[in-house]
Amino acid sequence: MDAGIAQSTWSAMERALAATLSLRVWMRATHAVGADLHAYLDQVSAAQRPRDSVHLRHQELLASVASEGGWRVRPEAETGSGFADLVLARPGDAALIEIWDWVPDVGDAFRSWRRKREHLEASHVTEDDVRVSGLWVLRGTRRNRTLLRDHPALFRAQFPGSGAAWLGALSDPSRPMPLEPAILWVSVDGRRLWPARL
């Protein structure tokens, strides 16, 4: 795996069960995913900042942009097959938004995405004229950029839509929601969104 770190160690790190690892291993891990260890250590104790503060920053940005576009935002919404980072709704439209700091297993992530989207569609089946779509938002790390660059056909098959059209629909209530899902990038600092080109 990246950085010469065993899969079991990656798994322990993701589940916050790796407190005994050396700082050197943590530095290799953050470098491998294109992050900076300082972003997580920033002179703040664990009691002051939630463990998922980086992810929350990205959710906050999406929620803020979507609110400007007239969307009702439901964070951590139950989908019947797990929780969605955000479910957005406005008259006639529902959107599933998944935000990925890093994708540990692409196949599993694709399957989870489809199940959540199917559940969202099924929950609106009795409502007339409700269209369901969505998008992935990937943290703009070197690892994630490489992932998309190395597997463009797979990601294009899952996300054939236009990221630019989605950005417009998120922030402007007069713009229609695209029917095809797409991918957006979010900056590492969580301040900017831009379309992925596949």
Side-chain angles (χ1 to χ4, degrees):
M1 176 140 226
D2 290 340
I5 297 172
Q7 180 63 40
S8 58
T9 303
W10 279 110
S11 178
M13 294 168 91
E14 291 169 2
R15 293 179 292 134
L17 301 174
T20 60
L21 291 177
S22 71
L23 186 56
R24 180 174 292 196
V25 172
W26 281 104
M27 289 176 67
R28 286 193 342 242
T30 57
H31 180 72
V33 297
D36 181 359
L37 186 59
H38 294 99
Y40 300 96
L41 300 177
D42 198 20
Q43 300 177 358
V44 177
S45 77
Q48 293 174 311
R49 184 178 288 180
R51 184 182 71 187
D52 62 348
S53 62
V54 172
H55 193 77
L56 287 172
R57 192 166 44 231
H58 298 146
Q59 283 179 295
E60 178 67 25
L61 175 63
L62 263 291
S64 175
V65 169
S67 292
E68 292 173 13
W71 297 89
R72 190 178 80 241
V73 178
R74 291 186 348 209
E76 300 301 328
E78 172 64 54
T79 67
S81 61
F83 292 87
D85 286 321
L86 298 168
V87 170
L88 308 179
R90 65 183 184 187
D93 296 331
L96 170 67
I97 312 296
E98 290 288 86
I99 303 167
W100 294 92
D101 297 324
W102 76 298
V103 184
D105 182 324
V106 175
D108 185 53
F110 282 172
R111 290 185 295 274
S112 173
W113 163 257
R114 279 193 301 271
R115 284 190 302 271
K116 290 176 183 178
R117 191 164 164 211
E118 287 166 1
H119 183 271
L120 189 59
E121 288 170 346
S123 70
H124 289 286
V125 76
T126 59
E127 299 175 34
D128 293 334
D129 300 326
V130 173
R131 304 172 320 149
V132 176
S133 190
L135 61 109
W136 270 17
V137 179
L138 292 174
R139 192 170 187 212
T141 62
R142 179 175 27 247
R143 180 188 184 278
N144 287 340
R145 290 190 310 269
T146 300
L147 182 65
L148 259 65
R149 186 188 67 230
D150 289 350
H151 306 286
L154 292 176
F155 282 94
R156 230 182 346 262
Q158 285 289 326
F159 302 98
S162 163
W166 263 103
L167 265 178
L170 286 175
S171 59
D172 182 348
S174 69
R175 301 272 301 268
M177 178 186 75
L179 292 180
E180 293 186 320
I183 296 177
L184 297 179
W185 292 112
V186 62
S187 61
V188 172
D189 64 8
R191 294 183 181 162
R192 186 172 66 92
L193 295 166
W194 71 97
R197 290 184 176 85
L198 300 174

